[in-house]
Every structure is written in C-alpha cells, then in structure tokens.
Amino acid sequence: MDDNVIGDIREDKRIFERKDFNSILRFKSEKTDKNGEGIARNISASGMSFITKQKIRPRQALELWIGVPDGRNPVHKTAEVVWAKENLVNTYEAGVKFDSVGLMELSRIFKDLQGVD
C-alpha cells in the first residue's frame, strides 16, 4: 500500500458506476468550519473524488457544493471522506461517500455526462 495513502482504498466496494467529471467544487469541513475548493475528478450517485490544496483526512464530514455546467446553482451534498492521499506539491486527492444516494439531486450532472466515457 502506498505510504501516502490515508484510509483503506484496497477494495473497490462501489455499487454505482463512476463517470469522469471535471468541475469546480467548494467544500466546508463540518468539524473545523474551514472552507476549501477543489476540482472534481469523477462522480457517481453515491460519491466522488476530487483534488484540492487543503489537507483532507478520512472520516472528515464535508458539506459540498458541486458546480454544474448548466449555469444554475451548484448541487449541494453532504459526505464523509473515505480515503485521502497527499500528492506532490502539497495537493491532496480524496474520495468521499455521499451521506445519501443522490440520483435525483445529481441528475443535472449525469444529464450533462450522457455519452461521455
């Protein structure tokens, strides 16, 4: 296991297919009340991964605002960090599991991703 990985990412337990998704997101740590920004990498109905310059830790509760290309308000979700790792140049990559499956909430995102592999 990579020494920089924090949390367990050895077994893929995903139920929903992930789609590549590149969008700006904002987040707030519910424990520390600190704000951050990141770039989404991929998304599913149950979670997503993203890159950020803010330090992220597993089991951290986050409030997320995910940008959608349709120009309307961002999609709002709450999630828990499942895994995190530090990359080069003080950037972090994290995977989060949404607190609730968001098929309806995320339908705007998935509509935009139709036909994109």
Side-chain angles (χ1 to χ4, degrees), residues 53-65:
K53 291 190 180 212
Q54 283 75 26
K55 192 169 191 173
I56 299 287
R57 293 280 182 206
R59 294 178 295 285
Q60 188 174 358
L62 298 178
E63 193 170 359
L64 305 165
W65 291 269

Side-chain angles (χ1 to χ4, degrees), residues 4-110:
N4 292 335
V5 175
I6 305 163
D8 187 1
I9 62 171
R10 289 175 287 177
E11 185 178 345
D12 189 347
K13 299 178 183 179
R14 296 179 187 146
I15 295 171
F16 298 100
E17 178 184 4
R18 293 231 171 185
K19 290 284 209 172
D20 289 341
F21 179 62
N22 185 4
S23 181
I24 293 174
L25 68 102
R26 293 181 298 113
F27 61 89
K28 181 169 103 175
S29 171
E30 292 183 357
K31 183 177 182 178
T32 64
D33 208 32
K34 289 185 178 179
N35 294 320
E37 290 185 349
I39 302 290
R41 297 197 55 198
N42 60 52
I43 192 164
S44 77
S46 61
M48 68 184 302
S49 70
F50 63 93
I51 297 174
T52 182
K53 291 190 180 212
Q54 283 75 26
K55 192 169 191 173
I56 299 287
R57 293 280 182 206
R59 294 178 295 285
Q60 188 174 358
L62 298 178
E63 193 170 359
L64 305 165
W65 291 269
I66 306 163
V68 184
D70 65 10
R72 297 184 357 215
N73 289 335
V75 171
H76 179 254
K77 296 292 291 176
T78 56
E80 180 179 346
V81 178
V82 177
W83 61 266
K85 69 178 183 176
E86 185 173 359
N87 295 329
L88 298 175
V89 194
N90 296 324
T91 61
Y92 297 84
E93 186 174 353
V96 299
K97 179 179 178 185
F98 298 138
D99 290 339
S100 62
V101 173
L103 295 173
M104 291 304 292
E105 298 164 286
L106 298 171
S107 64
R108 290 172 37 218
I109 292 171
F110 295 123

